[in-house]
Amino acid sequence: MKFEKNILCIGAGYVGGPTMAMIAYKCPRYKVTAVDINPERIGQWNSDNLPIFEPGLDKVVRACRGKNLFFSTEIERGIQEAEIIFVSVNTPTKTFGSGAGMAADLQYWEKTARQIRDCAHSRKIVVEKSTLPVKTSLAMERILTDANDRIHFDVLSNPEFLAEGTAIQDLETPDRVLIGSHETERALEAREALVQIYANWVPREKIITTNLWSSELSKLAANAFLAQRISSINSISALCEKTDADIAEVAKAIGMDSRIGEKFLRASVGFGGSCFKKDILNLVYLCRYYGLNEVAEFWEGVVRINDYQKSRFVLNMLNAMFNTLAGKRICLFGFAFKANTGDTRESPGIFIARELAEERAELVITDPEALENARVDLEDLGKDVSYLVDPYEAAEKSHAIAVITEWELYRALDYDRIYRSMTKPAFIFDGRNILDHRKLFEIGFNVFPIGKTPLTHF
Ligand code: NAD
Ligand code: UGA
């Protein structure tokens, strides 16, 4: 079959894989290939056991894999054949040299730009899908055009706004698709080619176009705003715990103001995930670079409150459990950074597990999807941590349960049975406020929610 367009994505991770799968699913006339330097990952994309857990992803991949969706390690060939190349490689926080701990590490992204330049034999549209600092596309253009004037490259910015756990839904019905470009005739032509791809399933009014820099900055700003809401509600949760106000009631009351809105106001043990912290630190770094220290400090506060919330959670546990956790068995319900994903990157669970281990607690971790990642994250803690799929087994003989991830299954457990199997007095620290606290208290638990008065039998 002759395909109408040939699309490539370099980087088959949490973004590249699902995004390409959705394009292939919605556009059977296009050939879509995702390539990666990691052969193991590509092997998994080509197997029944996909490398990431994402509700609905299996169905989409199965519908088009081998027909118009391909996963491969043949990057050079992919570049040569494609007209449109998405770049979705990782852009983690730099861990070395200037800007360490703040700036984005652009080495993977730059290697990709050079590889595209070296392998391309024909005109290409290069689409930045990774989250990048503002003005990165300028560097991309410089690398691509240097020594290669014979081939024309158009660089577009098309940041991804999907959230893990709802990636398929977010890709299928996005709030908006953002495309940034230059305003030259050729650049507008390239932009229109990308608009056309999305227009196969996204209503035209939801596809918005801007200049390149606005597009790059909007992605960082969107994540910063979202994370800021969580830090705002979490900061108020600390005050609720001191004043007998209830964070759920406060969130409802303020969220009903249509100017504030109800979403993203769930107090928690802190936000995690691979991007919020990384992107805010990147934003902070950029502000400092441009001499905007007050702006930098404002956004840095969002990360500071998040760290505070995680520490506070552990300190509350310590205080409630008579100021010693040594030798006590503590069970973490959930380890993923949010429900419906196996991803544990920057999960609050990592910090909390380490702090509890520092207090010499004995840890048991249960999670329906993230145990494999948890083992890797906590490898250095060795035998002090055990990993059990069954939450009932995990809770047995524990002194306390700490809810880290808001998995639906934790709401529906038989807590009478769990209470009977635990060491007394039994504690529950609900880091997500998903459980029926009154009922747990009546069963006999000492209950410590986030941002609410504890219910204790002492
Ligand atoms: P990821 O680590 O899951 O995937 C990146 C992939 O790129 C890896 O499989 C890696 O092997 C591959 N890679 C690295 N260098 C390569 C190279 N030179 N050639 C080919 N492949 C290469 O990362 P991710 O979570 O998919 O994030 C990718 C980008 O998207 C980041 O910039 C991130 O900020 C952004 N983003 C992520 C999410 C999310 O939910 N995870 C959402 C929106 C945006
Ligand atoms: C987030 C954004 O929501 C996406 O739009 C963006 O594309 C993505 O980052 C990215 O750039 O990587 P994600 O991190 O996958 O998506 O998940 P979120 O639903 O945003 O949750 C992030 C963290 O905040 C989780 O730990 C979650 O539990 C926590 N959270 C979320 C709260 O604590 N309270 C809330 O009310 C909402």
Side-chain angles (χ1 to χ4, degrees):
M1 172 175 171
K2 175 104 181 66
F3 290 105
E4 217 174 90
K5 273 190 213 295
N6 204 328
I7 296 171
L8 179 75
C9 179
I10 303 181
Y14 281 87
V15 169
T19 311
M20 290 308 112
M22 184 55 68
I23 294 180
Y25 186 60
K26 296 290 183 185
C27 316
R29 294 164 288 119
Y30 305 163
K31 180 181 176 190
V32 183
T33 309
V35 289
D36 203 288
I37 37 169
N38 182 344
E40 202 187 318
R41 208 163 218 192
I42 291 299
Q44 288 172 317
W45 279 115
N46 283 321
S47 74
D48 286 337
N49 194 12
L50 300 183
I52 59 178
F53 170 73
E54 198 57 64
L57 177 64
D58 271 37
K59 181 185 133 212
V60 173
V61 170
R62 243 183 269 126
C64 28
R65 192 173 57 194
K67 293 180 191 141
N68 69 328
L69 175 66
F70 304 90
F71 295 96
S72 155
T73 49
E74 289 188 80
I75 304 178
E76 289 188 12
R77 185 165 152 206
I79 293 171
Q80 280 156 14
E81 290 179 358
E83 295 116 43
I84 300 184
I85 302 175
F86 288 85
V87 180
S88 182
V89 299
N90 35 330
T91 51
T93 304
K94 215 175 156 194
T95 54
F96 53 88
S98 168
M102 299 291 283
D105 182 350
L106 299 176
Q107 60 170 314
Y108 309 101
W109 167 88
E110 190 181 321
K111 271 185 204 133
T112 310
R114 288 176 192 278
Q115 196 172 19
I116 295 172
R117 179 193 68 190
D118 296 343
C119 300
H121 299 314
S122 56
R123 182 181 174 184
K124 310 283 173 200
I125 296 173
V126 180
V127 185
E128 291 179 349
K129 196 57 149 159
S130 302
T131 303
L132 295 160
V134 195
K135 294 276 171 176
T136 302
S137 49
L138 194 64
M140 171 97 92
E141 277 169 351
R142 287 195 179 136
I143 291 171
L144 288 172
T145 44
D146 182 45
N148 206 349
D149 290 334
R150 61 198 165 84
I151 297 171
H152 185 80
F153 293 97
D154 287 293
V155 179
L156 302 175
S157 161
N158 172 221
E160 184 49 60
F161 295 102
L162 69 78
E164 288 178 31
T166 52
I168 294 302
Q169 196 184 314
D170 296 341
L171 287 166
E172 196 154 26
T173 51
D175 284 349
R176 79 310 207 179
V177 167
L178 174 59
I179 303 176
S181 74
H182 287 306
E183 297 284 323
T184 63
E185 205 177 308
R186 287 190 95 150
L188 293 178
E189 207 182 281
R191 183 175 90 182
E192 186 52 29
L194 187 55
V195 169
Q196 287 299 334
I197 294 178
Y198 285 108
N200 280 290
W201 77 96
V202 180
R204 276 305 272 257
E205 66 277 10
K206 290 200 168 180
I207 306 176
I208 57 172
T209 56
T210 63
N211 79 29
L212 272 170
W213 329 126
S214 307
S215 172
E216 288 178 334
L217 183 54
S218 298
K219 173 63 197 177
L220 292 183
N223 273 359
F225 271 61
L226 289 168
Q228 172 267 325
R229 282 177 72 89
I230 302 167
S231 280
S232 296
I233 202 73
N234 281 345
S235 70
I236 298 297
S237 78
L239 190 54
C240 285
E241 286 166 31
K242 299 279 183 211
T243 57
D244 288 336
D246 178 320
I247 196 62
E249 291 176 354
V250 175
K252 184 169 179 196
I254 61 176
M256 281 175 77
D257 183 327
S258 59
R259 294 168 302 175
I260 296 174
E262 63 180 8
K263 290 185 183 164
F264 256 67
L265 287 181
R266 289 189 319 273
S268 68
V269 66
F271 62 74
S274 63
C275 293
F276 277 177
K277 184 173 170 194
K278 150 178 103 65
D279 293 347
I280 293 175
L281 292 179
N282 186 348
L283 186 67
V284 168
Y285 182 76
L286 273 173
C287 293
R288 292 238 159 84
Y289 173 82
Y290 288 108
L292 303 171
N293 289 326
E294 284 75 6
V295 185
E297 267 162 42
F298 175 75
W299 289 110
E300 209 161 25
V302 172
V303 176
R304 245 192 336 263
I305 287 289
N306 199 49
D307 291 341
Y308 169 68
Q309 188 75 351
K310 291 186 280 188
S311 304
R312 228 168 57 73
F313 188 73
V314 177
L315 279 179
N316 278 348
M317 290 179 80
L318 184 63
N319 289 343
M321 294 175 76
F322 321 113
N323 291 310
T324 174
L325 299 175
K328 290 183 179 164
R329 190 173 158 98
I330 296 181
C331 174
L332 301 191
F333 268 17
F335 201 76
F337 81 97
K338 64 185 279 196
N340 300 319
T341 176
D343 195 350
T344 60
R345 291 180 291 177
E346 294 291 337
S347 171
I350 300 176
F351 174 87
I352 288 161
R354 288 190 178 283
E355 290 288 295
L356 294 173
E358 193 73 16
E359 292 292 338
R360 310 241 167 118
E362 188 193 318
L363 293 177
V364 189
I365 295 175
T366 180
D367 189 292
E369 293 295 335
L371 285 191
E372 224 173 286
N373 284 331
R375 268 179 218 279
V376 177
D377 296 329
L378 303 178
E379 204 176 1
D380 57 305
L381 298 184
K383 290 203 199 77
D384 295 342
V385 190
S386 35
Y387 304 88
L388 291 169
V389 179
D390 180 359
Y392 292 106
E393 222 183 303
E396 223 175 282
K397 298 200 174 68
S398 293
H399 294 74
I401 293 171
V403 179
I404 305 296
T405 314
E406 71 279 26
W407 286 103
E408 198 54 40
L409 79 99
Y410 299 142
R411 292 179 200 268
L413 295 175
D414 176 350
Y415 283 94
D416 268 314
R417 175 181 161 192
I418 289 176
Y419 180 74
R420 284 196 303 273
S421 77
M422 286 176 68
T423 303
K424 310 295 178 319
F427 292 81
I428 285 199
F429 299 89
D430 186 355
R432 297 289 184 168
N433 286 349
I434 53 168
L435 304 179
D436 183 337
H437 301 141
R438 175 62 43 194
K439 194 168 154 204
L440 291 173
F441 173 70
E442 279 160 13
I443 290 172
F445 284 103
N446 297 296
V447 189
F448 290 77
I450 297 271
K452 292 170 191 252
T453 309
L455 301 169
T456 68
H457 297 281
F458 309 123

